[in-house]
């Protein structure tokens, strides 16, 4: 139970004892931390309900709370707010519980529940763009958070491997005569195990194919026909396609891995291919899918819609299936294989209508089981020109390039700050890489996901302010304080209750971890964790400036403060790990 839940329980019981609903006892951190630690505003609502004087109601509640030794102060402010302070003894007692808990009080919101997290979403052969980067960072953070909160998580990259780009590639390769065997309709033998194209080839082939299709309608027609034939099962195309997927997957695993992002499943749109036929039969048989201008669609508009909601297209007139078709079949597959309570899609906000169509179709058809279907959208990372960010002078964005840029910038900052200058080269490079990734990840996560933000590496990599590197450095400093203490033979322990405002504020912030984790899960909002952890680092820094530790003469006080350092490092490391930020051993 979090501290706020515990306090709300106590205050709620007081409300109940006075004949009011216990929910009115909800306690929140005070809006005026200079006046009190916590507040409860329930007396105002209670008074309205009972047509009584709010201060009089607050008095009655306060009288009950004063009897509880958990509080050192119970005061009524303004029209009837109840202000509360915890006693120092209660604070240290709860701090001891936190320090002894290996989960550090993490909420168990997801115990017994399964969530499928769909993020990453790179497309086979097509270059990744900033949308994919954001999806990877936000989705990976949510998967770490959900796991920390007790959920069983199945993450799936859901590769884009069944769309038009496949037909475009196939027809481009056919035209160039690179691997004629795959195009010979009479070929009966085995196809080569080795891919006829490498990742580098694909990087050249796809843009060429895509440009040709834009310029020439005949080429587009050809690509469409190849897509339909691939989906219909033409043998040579299937094998060729499998080569593209394998080559891309190997490259993507490395790219995502370099950002610290991992997936449980490497399924793609095509993984549910065998479910599509039966699904369409079923939808037709139940009258849910209808013909419209040669295509097969599911109407999903609802009377309450304010905007036009187009039908979900399942099969085009040429027989090809679409993005929405595979997404719908993927829901069937996920419900069957994982029986999830939640399927969460971390995908660009601009795909919102697509997901609304798919979700409505799934619910209409009864495919979603007990799963809640939810799209957690996000805005774009823009360049200084206000357009989606691109590297290499406007060229495609590769995670490698991005990480290399961030590492280089981090290296400059390390030199400026005089950090890690004397370490062996390997270690230094490793530190620069970790700092670079921390800069990228924290910058992406720290504003609310639906806002756009501007890519500004110089700012992201600074060691001061709201940045990943600042937090890494804070953690490294805490580690070094603890190392020094250990060398001096001091073993930290919470011996005494807090006695200064800085100690109390630090303890309160540490005890607020479960709320930050629960709030971030509830809102699918990693920025809540960023705010929390940045405040923690600042509060710690004020605590550390205000108190001596190594030179403290009072041993009990010294060991207690060391224990607070250790607890802060524990909480900071836990949150940074959820954000996917690694802390170097030294800097
Ligand atoms: N491949 C898609 C894209 O590049 C993203 C996939 C998102 N996930 C999904 N289930 N539709 O836009």
């Amino acid at each position: 139970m979090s501290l706020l839940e515990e306090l709300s329980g106590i205050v709620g019981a007081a409300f109940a004892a006075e004949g009011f609903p216990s929910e009115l006892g909800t306690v929140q951190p005070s809006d005026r931390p200079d006046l009190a630690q916590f507040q409860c505003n329930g007396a105002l609502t209670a008074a309205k309900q009972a047509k009584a004087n709010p201060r009089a109601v607050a008095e009655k509640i306060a009288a009950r709370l004063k009897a509880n030794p958990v509080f050192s102060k119970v005061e009524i402010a303004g029209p009837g707010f109840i202000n509360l302070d915890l006693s120092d003894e209660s604070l240290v007692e709860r701090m001891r519980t936190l320090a002894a808990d290996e989960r550090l009080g993490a909420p168990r919101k997801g115990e017994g529940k399964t969530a499928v997290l769909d993020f990453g979403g790179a497309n086979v052969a097509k270059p990744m763009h900033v949308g994919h980067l954001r999806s990877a960072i936000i989705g990976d953070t949510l998967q770490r958070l959900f796991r920390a909160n007790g959920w069983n998580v199945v993450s799936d990259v859901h590769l884009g491997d069944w769309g038009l780009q496949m037909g475009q590639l196939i027809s481009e390769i056919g035209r160039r005569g690179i691997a004629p065997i795959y195009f010979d309709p009479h070929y009966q033998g085995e196809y080569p195990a080795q891919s006829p194209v490498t990742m580098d080839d694909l990087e050249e082939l796809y843009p060429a194919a895509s440009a040709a299709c834009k310029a020439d309608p005949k080429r587009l027609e050809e690509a469409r026909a190849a897509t339909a034939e691939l989906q219909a099962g033409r043998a040579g195309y299937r094998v060729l396609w499998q080569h593209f997927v394998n080559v891309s997957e190997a490259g993507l695993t490395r790219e995502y891995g370099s950002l610290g992002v991992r997936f449980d499943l490497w399924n793609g749109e095509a993984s549910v291919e065998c479910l599509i036929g039966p699904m369409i039969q079923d939808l037709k048989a139940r009258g849910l899918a209808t013909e419209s201008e040669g295509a097969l669609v599911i109407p999903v508009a609802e009377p309450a819609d304010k905007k036009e909601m187009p039908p979900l297209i399942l099969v085009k007139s040429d027989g090809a299936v679409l993005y929405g078709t595979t997404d719908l079949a993927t829901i069937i597959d996920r419900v069957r294989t994982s029986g999830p309570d939640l399927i969460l899609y971390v995908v660009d906000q601009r795909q919102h209508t697509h997901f609304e169509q798919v979700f409505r179709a799934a619910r209409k058809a009864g495919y979603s089981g007990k799963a809640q279907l939810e799209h957690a959208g996000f805005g774009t990372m823009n360049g200084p020109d206000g357009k989606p960010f691109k590297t290499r002078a406007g060229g495609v964005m590769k995670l490698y390039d991005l990480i290399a840029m961030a590492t280089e910038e981090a290296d400059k900052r390390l030199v400026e700050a005089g950090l890690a200058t004397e370490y062996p080269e390997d270690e230094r490079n490793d530190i620069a890489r970790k700092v670079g990734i921390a800069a990228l990840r924290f910058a992406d996560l720290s504003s609310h996901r639906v806002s756009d933000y501007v890519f500004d590496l110089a700012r992201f990599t600074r060691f001061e302010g709201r940045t990943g590197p600042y937090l890494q450095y804070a953690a490294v400093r805490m580690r070094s304080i603890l190392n020094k203490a250990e060398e001096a033979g001091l073993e930290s322990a919470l011996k005494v209750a807090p006695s200064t405002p800085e100690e109390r504020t630090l303890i309160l912030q540490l005890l607020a971890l479960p709320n930050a984790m629960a709030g971030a899960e509830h809102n699918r909002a990693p920025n809540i964790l960023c705010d929390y952890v940045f405040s923690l680092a600042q509060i710690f820094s004020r605590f550390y400036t205000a108190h001596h530790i190594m030179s403290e003469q009072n041993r009990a006080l010294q060991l207690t403060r060391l224990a607070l350092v250790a607890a802060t490092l524990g909480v900071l490391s836990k949150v940074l790990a959820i954000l996917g930020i690694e802390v170097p051993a030294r800097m």
Side-chain angles (χ1 to χ4, degrees), residues 53-198:
N53 175 332
R55 274 197 81 100
V57 174
E59 295 287 359
K60 285 193 193 154
I61 307 295
R64 291 187 178 269
L65 298 180
K66 279 182 185 151
N68 193 324
V70 135
F71 301 111
S72 61
K73 182 174 90 179
V74 180
E75 269 175 13
I76 298 165
F81 302 116
I82 303 171
N83 281 345
L84 302 165
D85 273 357
L86 256 65
S87 73
D88 292 331
E89 263 318 314
S90 332
L91 283 177
V92 72
E93 210 177 283
R94 278 153 191 80
M95 212 34 238
R96 288 193 186 109
T97 311
L98 175 116
D101 175 10
E102 57 176 38
R103 299 176 79 248
L104 301 177
R108 297 178 187 275
K109 297 271 169 207
E111 216 113 283
K113 291 195 282 184
T114 295
V116 172
L117 259 60
D118 178 315
F119 64 94
N123 298 311
V124 166
K126 274 205 235 179
M128 277 209 232
H129 53 69
V130 291
H132 297 121
L133 170 80
R134 294 214 67 194
S135 175
I137 294 178
I138 300 168
D140 180 53
T141 300
L142 291 175
Q143 90 167 318
R144 291 164 188 254
L145 172 66
F146 274 64
R147 289 205 170 103
N149 287 353
W151 286 81
N152 170 38
V153 173
V154 182
S155 56
D156 180 7
V157 67
H158 198 75
L159 284 183
D161 60 3
W162 214 220
L164 178 65
Q165 84 269 24
M166 294 297 145
Q168 289 177 311
L169 267 181
I170 291 173
S171 67
E172 180 73 20
I173 289 174
R175 278 183 166 252
R176 291 197 196 182
I178 295 176
I181 194 173
Y182 298 95
F183 294 85
D184 177 356
H186 307 296
Y187 184 72
Q188 295 285 342
E190 288 224 355
Y191 289 100
Q194 181 78 21
S195 170
V197 288
T198 64

Side-chain angles (χ1 to χ4, degrees), residues 118 121-123 129 132 158 160 269 323 327 345 347 351 354-355:
D118 178 315
N123 298 311
H129 53 69
H132 297 121
H158 198 75
E269 297 164 352
Y323 187 43
D327 258 331
Y345 298 78
V347 184
Q351 296 195 21
H354 163 77
F355 285 110

Side-chain angles (χ1 to χ4, degrees), residues 395-521:
V396 302
M397 189 200 72
K398 297 212 66 199
L399 281 185
Y400 277 152
D401 297 344
L402 196 67
I403 290 170
M405 278 169 72
T407 306
E408 203 179 299
E409 194 72 21
D411 201 62
K412 277 196 228 157
R413 289 282 171 283
L414 286 166
V415 172
E416 277 170 21
L419 294 172
T421 40
E422 251 118 69
Y423 298 171
E425 199 176 317
D426 278 359
E427 184 181 356
R428 220 198 114 78
N429 292 343
D430 184 56
I431 295 174
R433 191 186 54 82
K434 286 182 174 144
V435 170
I437 289 171
L440 286 176
R441 290 191 66 132
F442 194 84
D444 196 275
L445 296 168
S446 59
S447 44
H448 188 268
R449 60 182 156 75
V450 283
S451 351
D452 298 346
Y453 69 100
V454 173
F455 182 74
D456 181 355
L457 259 191
R459 186 165 62 78
F460 300 169
T461 50
R462 282 172 43 183
F463 280 102
E464 316 86 46
R466 261 175 77 92
T467 68
Y470 165 75
L471 295 167
Q472 284 175 311
Y473 186 59
V476 167
R477 271 185 37 192
M478 290 174 206
R479 172 84 284 150
S480 99
I481 298 167
L482 294 171
N483 288 345
K484 274 200 202 107
E486 204 175 306
E487 280 161 25
L490 298 171
E491 238 181 90
S492 65
L494 289 160
K495 299 265 187 208
V496 291
S499 56
T500 70
E502 290 83 7
E503 289 172 341
R504 292 188 190 103
T505 308
L506 179 58
I507 291 178
L508 286 169
Q509 181 70 1
L510 292 169
L511 295 175
L513 174 68
N515 278 86
M517 290 176 71
E521 174 191 316

